[in-house]
Amino acid sequence: MKNQQMKSGKMKNQQIWNKIEKLGESDFPFENAISELQIIKEQAVRDDLQNKAKEIWICQTIVGIHKLYKEAFNLLKEKQYYQAWCQLERIEITINSLKKHFSFKENKYFLNFIEKSVRNLQVIFPYRLFASMEIVKTNILCSVCEKKISIRNSCGHIVGEIYNGEMCHRIVDKAEVLGISLVEDPGNKYSVMFIKDSETGEQKDHYSYDVIDYLMLEINSPYEFWELKVFQIEIKKEDFSNMNQNDKCNCNSGLKLKDCCYKKIGEKYPHYEFLVRNPSQKVNLRTNTIQHASR
């Protein structure tokens, strides 16, 4: 009887792996796939089939990465930038957790493409300053057994390993905040610094997302091929030889040239060059370039 259950479970498991081959399709049923995987995993845990439960966790994680990536892309299209940024951070964390248990060197299930796209999107985001909390963790629990963890008291479960189809992590139940620092390369990328409106007291998004909008005008699908190259270009007087001082600056700031980039002659700025398959050439900002990808 047990052999029949194992055979049946293996067949169902293979069906799921076959199904996620279609992850790149626009109408992929994420919720149905996740529900089916959860049912199979729960049965594997009941049968104490740890390797099978781990395999289903891997499959669930891959589906989850695609779901997050598609959501992040849609958020960028809708100009919900900070929400999209948080999704990109979740994808980065999830991919790093997956790498320990699943190799995707040959871009299996689009994972290399997603990882590279997430990294490139993070590069063109304007966020450069983050809050980093200094904390003392006073009560830490294991996510598997919920036992309290300390230097002298370990439960034996290893962080990052898979137990009963779930990844082990630590839960900080209590902590004391000692201070907050401003950093450029945080461990927690969610902590973006925003300014407060002096009149209303509400948080205000003061960042420019022109570069992201520029890219989003050129690609229509989360899985559309695109590459990014970043250069440093010096602002030169010759760049404005055909412009009048009172003309609108061509950096798209809305200011007059004399009040904007003309004051920055000699400074360097990042130049983003995008390579896409089907560029529309709808817009042309001085700090960005679209090229047609030959591959």
Side-chain angles (χ1 to χ4, degrees), residues 13 38-39 53 134 142 157 168 170 230 250 254 261 280:
N13 195 21
Q38 188 63 27
I39 292 170
E134 302 172 38
C142 171
H157 293 120
C168 178
R170 295 294 182 250
V230 183
N250 57 5
C261 288
S280 66

Side-chain angles (χ1 to χ4, degrees), residues 5 57 59 114 117 133 161 190 236 246 251 279 281 287:
Q5 289 177 342
W57 174 86
C59 198
I114 291 176
S117 296
M133 287 195 300
E161 289 297 332
Y190 300 122
K236 299 178 180 179
N246 290 317
C251 73
Q281 295 293 352
T287 53

Side-chain angles (χ1 to χ4, degrees), residues 206-220:
H206 60 288
Y207 295 98
S208 171
Y209 300 96
D210 285 346
V211 179
I212 295 170
D213 291 341
Y214 179 83
L215 175 64
M216 288 296 108
L217 283 172
E218 304 297 332
I219 55 177
N220 298 310

